[in-house]
Amino acid sequence: MSNLSEKVQAVFQEPGCVKNRAKSDKERKKGCTKQLQPGAAAGGCAFDGAKIALQPITDVVHLVHGPIACEGNSWDNRGSKSSDSHLYRMGFTTDIQEMDVVYGGEKRLFRAIKEAIDRYDPPAVFVYQTCVPALIGDDIDAVCQAAKKQFGRPIVPVQSPGFAGSKNLGNKLAGEALLDHVIGTEEPAYTTPCDVNIIGEYNLAGELWQVKPLLDQLGIRILACISGNAKYQEIASCHRAKATILVCSKAMINIARKMEEKYGIPFFEGSFYGISDMSDALRHLARLLVGRGAPEELLSKTEILIRREEQKAWEKLKTYQKQLAGKRVLLITGGVKSWSVVSALQEVGMEIVGTSVKKSTDEDKERIKKLMGEEAHMIEEMTPREMYRMLKEARADIMLSGGRSQFVALKAKMPWLDINQERHHAYAGYDGMVALVAEIDRALSNPVWQEVRLPAPWQEA
Amino acid sequence: MADVITSRKACSVSPLKMSQPIGGALALMGIHGCMPVLHGSQGCTAFGLVLFVRHFREMIPLQTTAMNEVTTILGGMENIEQALLNIAQRAKPQIVGICSTGLTETKGDDVVGYLKLIRQRRPELADLPVVYVSTPDFKGAFQDGWAKTVSQIVEELVEPAAMRIDDQINLLAGSHLSPGDLEEIRQIVESFGFRTILLPDLSGSLDGHIPEDFTPTTLGGTRLEEIRRMGSSRATIAIGEQMRGAALALEMKTGVPHILVDRLMGLRSVDRFLHLLAELSGRPVPQIYHRQRSQLVDAMLDGHFFFGGVKVAIGAEPDLLQNVGHWLAELGCELKAAVSTTESIVFADLPAERVRIGDLEDLEREALGCQLLLTHSHGRQMAARLQIPFYRIGLPIFDRLGAAHQVLVGYRGSRNFLFDVANLLITAREEEEGTHWPGRGPHEEAARACECQEEDQKTG
């Protein structure tokens, strides 16, 4: 347990975090998770966060040590794609019973690791700690250590009991597990001066594959993506990369910063969402690589690629201008996406009537103001009831948000588009932004909206 | 007679089972104006919520006491108190239901005691009924949590009555029934002139309708005053073996006699049900069911060609397994692999050699050589590996639309199920045969189809 609280403290001290730097020592110690309100809370737990961050590693067994709820109620519900192994999509759990709670679940966990290895022969097993075994004091670090010795392959403990905090904390705890037990334990077969790591990209709906071809054209090799479409061996040997791009800074900044500290790999925060953001990310990456010994011509090659791709994308976007100009968007999402999507939507003439900034940093907010003007309608928190009313009263034409609030829009008979983790369309890179606008157009132009709003003929007006 | 085998594995792979608390929470969602709460960490609620959203494609009211490490160790009374106050103020529910989780049960929170103290301290909560159910994650399964919760609702809310209302019937519904099933059952019972009180009534709350305004609690379901009036009914019909406990509790408390109807799929089960209703009401079976029965018999005749000797694998909670298993056996299928989630008496007469309490990995191993798979959406991966037709039953069904309206019960439900499954088998056979027809590849097939259509258009 002390181990866990130390880890949580360490994560709260994260110096790489902008928000954290602004705090006093005392405040920082309290941590970044707001005290949750019983009866008015929403969102996942630390275990959920750890699983989201690591599950995309495709070729390992993800074994959840806990009662059936943690895995049984949640497995196979995330849309990260794999080009190879499908092992990560299966659910593994110790499904502990009352007797285990009384006598301890360590032996059961050890046997479960053995069974998983016997039957599926993975290169590694990730073991997730959950609330109940954490409470009764199961020492999963010790069990993993023993299992590693016995079975001669990495068994990685992930200290992520749900009651430790929020999903975001879980992302970081997952990062700690990789730093402590995986990264730097193997060597890559060969290296190139253009090897990079991508951190915080989960290949949801295959978004990594919208970015990878661009990097391929520039001769940039993805040594490891943490963790979309990753193989265990790639992450184990990713400490030989020349540069890192961190695309979801909230989630795993601790990995990027500690790898810079330990292995001297410089990192920057970028985004694959939005056209100019994608270009900025490529430029930044190229500069970092050239600074570390990549051929100078990478810079000009990057500029040529950017010019070509941007032009193609804007041309495609223009074809939507006519239908979409003047349509009003309500954008309910977190952090980076709140501003990176805005510019593309504005380009096709759409009006952003509100964007949520609940998870955004001050920097994010500044960028929103720059894009949308000082009177930008930034929403700190909006209850579902308010969202419903706003849509019902037609103060917006479409809502873009996560799956959780989709029925708020649909029940108000208003178009809605999923831009969070359960979405089925990929919106990264140049093609992704075009795809997003195409989807918005498809949603808005559907005649079904007129149909569903028809009153029954026998109803009085 | 089936032997029951419990899996001895330490590692459950591809779970079939889900946990008790969310089964309890779903039962609470069948009560009007209710806010279900899980007493645990916020993840317990988040996972349940996402699961139900994906299955029903509806807004799901489900809250949490948001326990953390410290509050767990010190005890969760303050969290429950805060949760009740917050919910009462924000959502204004007519009733709150609390289910415990593995976390708070491991600690051993005395929630019944907490609630007494909270009521003393907080007079403003005096008018808010609160039902508490103990549902540890590390025991039983989804269906058990549902059954316990319905029993608890009955124990706490139903009032004994001085008078019996002769045409009022209680229906206690198990977790294996969809909102569509419930609608069908109620219609059948009401056609005999009965007025029904259905508990829990998911057909009122999660049937996918468009409400007039936004509500943070359940929108529809059994009303509190209806539940209180259940003590004045003529009889209780418990639908599904899992409802036996709740029906008995109701009988003990109010003297309303109960009848258990464990199966409602297939000709003979529905026959028995209608016969029962005819006797209970003293009315003849309505004409419409004569017609539907006849249609079902005809469907069985048309369908038997495709079912005879087909080996099937089923993974489902006990009551659903019983219903689907018997019906398929009556159609000539062989129940080669049967996996379920929790102990039940219904396995005793299941027409299978054995029933395993286990996971989808067990089912996959036993399903080798089977020609048809029936389980919830998590079976999609194994269906792809086994390359056999896959019919989705139970919960969750997250990769197809219309889960709430899948009707399996009654003559009509049984008939539609029969057709759907037969069509899957026919499709599978066509695909298999198609590859063996020399010189008739899929492209030529398509071309032929086009020509036919053109001809149709010309002649039509």
Side-chain angles (χ1 to χ4, degrees):
Chain A
M1 225 37 161
S2 67
N3 187 5
L4 173 67
S5 54
E6 276 165 31
K7 272 277 166 252
V8 171
Q9 271 308 318
V11 167
F12 284 159
Q13 300 288 340
E14 177 56 54
C17 172
V18 186
K19 276 204 169 180
N20 221 354
R21 278 200 297 260
K23 288 182 188 168
S24 71
D25 277 357
K26 206 173 163 196
E27 262 180 86
R28 205 173 296 149
K29 211 168 174 196
K30 270 200 217 144
C32 44
T33 36
K34 273 184 225 150
Q35 204 51 47
L36 297 163
Q37 276 267 51
C45 60
F47 161 68
D48 193 10
K51 200 80 188 300
I52 288 171
L54 298 180
Q55 176 124 32
I57 303 172
T58 58
D59 59 348
V60 304
V61 161
H62 297 275
L63 173 61
V64 178
H65 183 40
I68 192 67
C70 307
E71 184 68 354
N73 298 353
S74 76
W75 69 288
D76 196 12
N77 73 355
R78 299 178 183 100
S80 77
K81 295 256 184 288
S82 167
S83 56
D84 192 344
S85 175
H86 283 277
L87 193 54
Y88 75 114
R89 282 187 61 207
M90 296 176 76
F92 294 83
T93 174
T94 49
D95 182 13
I96 59 170
Q97 300 295 304
E98 195 167 27
M99 280 304 175
D100 302 305
V101 175
V102 176
Y103 293 107
E106 292 172 358
K107 288 209 175 96
R108 191 187 184 99
L109 173 59
F110 189 84
R111 280 205 296 138
I113 294 170
K114 180 179 187 312
E115 288 174 14
I117 290 173
D118 287 349
R119 278 178 278 161
Y120 296 93
D121 192 27
V125 178
F126 281 60
V127 175
Y128 298 78
Q129 177 71 307
T130 63
C131 296
V132 172
L135 192 63
I136 62 171
D138 278 2
D139 185 349
I140 68 158
D141 282 349
V143 174
C144 289
Q145 192 66 33
K148 185 179 171 182
K149 221 165 162 188
Q150 178 88 24
F151 307 121
R153 70 186 82 195
I155 314 292
V156 180
V158 185
Q159 292 290 355
S160 55
F163 62 33
S166 67
K167 201 146 82 173
N168 180 273
L169 176 69
N171 294 155
K172 294 200 167 70
L173 292 173
E176 291 296 313
L178 293 183
L179 287 163
D180 289 347
H181 302 281
V182 183
I183 294 169
T185 57
E186 289 181 32
E187 290 298 328
Y190 65 97
T191 58
T192 78
C194 293
D195 286 353
V196 300
N197 292 331
I198 301 176
I199 296 180
E201 163 60 52
Y202 304 135
N203 199 26
L204 296 172
E207 289 189 332
L208 181 63
W209 299 327
Q210 290 177 319
V211 176
K212 191 173 177 292
L214 301 170
L215 299 178
D216 287 346
Q217 286 176 53
L218 297 172
I220 296 173
R221 178 172 77 141
I222 301 171
L223 195 57
C225 177
I226 299 178
S227 54
N229 195 31
K231 291 221 170 71
Y232 180 80
Q233 195 267 334
E234 292 168 1
I235 295 183
S237 58
C238 75
H239 60 299
R240 297 297 178 209
K242 295 291 184 292
T244 294
I245 168 164
L246 175 68
V247 292
C248 185
S249 67
K250 293 263 154 181
M252 297 208 278
I253 189 163
N254 51 336
I255 304 189
R257 190 187 51 79
K258 286 191 179 168
M259 285 184 78
E260 182 172 44
E261 226 169 68
K262 201 165 168 191
Y263 306 107
I265 306 170
F267 77 95
F268 72 99
E269 296 181 35
S271 167
F272 297 149
Y273 297 111
I275 289 170
S276 52
D277 293 287
M278 184 68 223
S279 301
D280 286 347
L282 289 175
R283 268 193 202 105
H284 207 140
L285 196 59
R287 267 207 309 275
L288 270 187
L289 285 172
V290 169
R292 301 211 65 210
E296 192 80 24
E297 57 166 28
L298 181 60
L299 295 175
S300 53
K301 267 167 71 180
T302 305
E303 287 307 322
I304 293 167
L305 176 106
I306 287 173
R307 198 170 320 143
R308 191 185 64 221
E309 294 294 328
E310 280 200 355
Q311 200 180 355
K312 259 189 353 203
W314 289 127
E315 256 163 41
K316 280 187 207 154
L317 284 179
K318 267 197 197 106
T319 57
Y320 293 99
Q321 242 163 12
K322 211 167 125 199
Q323 306 91 290
L324 294 182
K327 297 279 191 219
R328 294 156 307 164
V329 185
L330 179 60
L331 194 58
I332 304 288
T333 176
V336 180
K337 275 171 275 172
S338 52
W339 50 261
S340 54
V341 170
V342 167
S343 54
L345 299 186
Q346 285 182 331
E347 185 59 30
V348 292
M350 299 186 80
E351 185 193 337
I352 316 290
V353 289
T355 182
S356 66
V357 289
K358 198 177 162 193
K359 296 187 205 162
S360 308
T361 59
D362 290 339
E363 209 179 319
D364 287 335
K365 288 181 200 167
E366 275 310 307
R367 297 192 65 154
I368 293 168
K369 274 189 198 155
K370 219 183 270 171
L371 281 166
M372 295 166 54
E374 277 299 321
E375 65 277 28
H377 188 42
M378 287 191 267
I379 302 159
E380 270 299 335
E381 194 155 11
M382 198 177 207
T383 65
R385 204 192 291 262
E386 287 167 59
M387 278 184 226
Y388 178 83
R389 202 148 298 153
M390 187 159 176
L391 292 161
K392 190 90 184 171
E393 289 164 12
R395 282 180 279 144
D397 297 307
I398 185 168
M399 178 161 89
L400 312 189
S401 71
R404 195 181 278 273
S405 44
Q406 72 171 292
F407 302 107
V408 176
L410 295 182
K411 295 287 181 191
K413 300 178 184 172
M414 290 303 263
W416 169 84
L417 204 64
D418 195 350
I419 54 169
N420 268 12
Q421 56 163 326
E422 290 114 18
R423 65 181 176 265
H424 294 287
H425 298 275
Y427 299 137
Y430 303 103
D431 292 344
M433 209 33 61
V434 176
L436 174 67
V437 171
E439 280 302 310
I440 292 176
D441 181 46
R442 198 163 76 96
L444 277 170
S445 64
N446 196 320
V448 80
W449 301 112
Q450 276 86 57
E451 295 296 317
V452 296
R453 289 173 199 146
L454 284 175
W458 54 86
Q459 237 165 22
E460 305 218 0
Chain B
M1 278 293 281
D3 289 332
V4 180
I5 302 165
T6 305
S7 215
R8 295 239 163 270
K9 300 188 298 190
C11 183
S12 170
V13 183
S14 305
L16 172 70
K17 181 169 68 170
M18 297 175 304
S19 73
Q20 281 205 94
I22 63 167
L26 186 60
L28 290 165
M29 283 173 216
I31 301 179
H32 179 73
C34 180
M35 179 59 86
V37 181
L38 299 190
H39 181 38
S41 92
Q42 64 166 343
C44 304
T45 290
F47 285 142
L49 198 112
V50 170
L51 185 92
F52 292 136
V53 164
R54 288 185 358 137
H55 177 81
F56 290 106
R57 293 174 197 256
E58 287 296 317
M59 208 132 36
I60 297 296
L62 185 57
Q63 262 301 337
T64 171
T65 56
M67 298 293 284
N68 61 35
E69 193 174 353
V70 176
T71 55
T72 301
I73 290 163
L74 299 180
M77 185 165 105
E78 271 177 39
N79 284 54
I80 292 180
E81 184 175 0
Q82 276 308 314
L84 287 175
L85 290 171
N86 273 331
I87 290 167
Q89 190 211 336
R90 291 179 184 219
K92 301 186 178 56
Q94 290 166 25
I95 175 172
V96 171
I98 304 177
C99 293
S100 66
T101 62
L103 179 63
T104 51
E105 291 283 351
T106 301
K107 156 64 177 49
D109 271 3
D110 172 20
V111 178
V112 176
Y114 291 172
L115 287 173
K116 271 193 197 134
L117 288 172
I118 292 169
R119 288 216 181 274
Q120 282 168 15
R121 282 208 319 223
R122 298 288 183 179
E124 64 264 45
L125 295 173
D127 295 333
L128 181 67
V130 177
V131 174
Y132 166 70
V133 200
S134 162
T135 48
D137 292 297
F138 46 74
K139 273 171 91 173
F142 191 88
Q143 182 183 301
D144 302 310
W146 172 288
K148 273 189 200 172
T149 302
V150 178
S151 292
Q152 197 64 30
I153 293 168
V154 166
E155 295 269 4
E156 289 193 26
L157 299 175
V158 177
E159 289 160 6
M163 297 245 299
R164 287 261 176 280
I165 300 169
D166 217 34
D167 62 349
Q168 181 177 301
I169 295 272
N170 300 328
L171 298 172
L172 293 177
S175 60
H176 58 305
L177 301 163
S178 73
D181 285 330
L182 297 176
E183 210 172 290
E184 181 77 11
I185 292 167
R186 176 157 42 200
Q187 216 172 64
I188 293 173
V189 177
E190 286 180 352
S191 73
F192 286 84
F194 289 117
R195 286 182 295 166
T196 56
I197 299 178
L198 171 59
L199 177 76
D201 183 9
L202 293 181
S203 74
S205 54
L206 288 170
D207 63 328
H209 62 281
I210 309 274
E212 283 308 309
D213 199 2
F214 182 82
T215 352
T217 61
T218 51
L219 29 109
T222 325
R223 291 181 177 275
L224 206 52
E225 59 272 18
E226 288 181 299
I227 301 176
R228 294 202 171 111
R229 280 196 287 115
M230 289 175 96
S232 62
S233 291
R234 156 94 173 275
T236 299
I237 301 178
I239 304 163
E241 173 62 41
Q242 60 182 296
M243 285 294 102
R244 186 192 292 271
L248 269 172
L250 209 154
E251 185 167 337
M252 302 283 269
K253 198 167 177 193
T254 64
V256 177
H258 82 277
I259 305 150
L260 182 76
V261 175
D262 56 355
R263 288 170 48 200
L264 272 179
M265 274 182 93
L267 186 68
R268 57 167 74 222
S269 322
V270 184
D271 281 355
R272 263 201 308 267
F273 185 51
L274 293 185
H275 189 61
L276 165 79
L277 291 172
E279 283 193 336
L280 212 55
S281 64
R283 294 189 188 190
V285 172
Q287 272 308 313
I288 182 169
Y289 297 115
H290 293 251
R291 190 80 180 178
Q292 284 185 10
R293 184 182 193 280
S294 175
Q295 290 169 351
L296 178 59
V297 171
D298 190 59
M300 290 165 78
L301 291 168
D302 292 343
H304 86 279
F305 298 105
F306 306 98
F307 286 102
V310 167
K311 294 185 180 71
V312 299
I314 307 178
E317 292 229 277
D319 287 4
L320 185 60
L321 173 61
Q322 182 200 25
N323 270 277
V324 174
H326 278 279
W327 177 219
L328 284 173
E330 284 156 8
L331 290 169
C333 292
E334 184 193 328
L335 225 60
K336 187 166 172 289
V339 172
S340 196
T341 56
T342 180
E343 304 281 347
S344 170
I345 191 173
V346 303
F347 302 144
D349 68 341
L350 200 74
E353 218 171 280
R354 62 176 171 278
V355 178
R356 187 181 290 275
I357 297 182
D359 53 34
L360 292 178
E361 185 191 54
D362 298 323
L363 186 64
E364 185 167 346
R365 202 169 33 223
E366 292 188 11
L368 281 179
C370 283
Q371 291 136 289
L372 175 67
L373 168 69
L374 300 100
T375 186
H376 55 47
S377 280
H378 285 303
R380 61 185 178 167
Q381 294 184 40
M382 72 178 272
R385 284 190 289 267
L386 293 170
Q387 294 187 310
I388 56 173
F390 171 32
Y391 187 82
R392 288 160 180 80
I393 52 169
L395 191 153
I397 297 178
F398 51 74
D399 54 350
R400 291 292 184 274
L401 294 183
H405 297 287
Q406 183 187 53
V407 182
L408 301 180
V409 301
Y411 291 132
R412 271 195 300 192
S414 304
R415 184 195 67 200
N416 290 346
F417 170 83
L418 183 160
F419 286 148
D420 287 346
V421 173
N423 285 338
L424 276 181
L425 293 170
I426 292 169
T427 307
R429 190 159 87 181
E430 280 173 351
E431 276 166 11
E432 196 176 317
E433 282 173 355
T435 57
H436 297 307
W437 284 350
R440 205 181 264 180
H443 296 296
E444 283 167 67
E445 279 291 301
R448 242 166 48 91
C450 287
E451 275 170 29
C452 293
Q453 267 172 13
E454 267 168 46
E455 264 176 29
D456 284 350
Q457 276 164 6
K458 273 179 213 154
T459 51

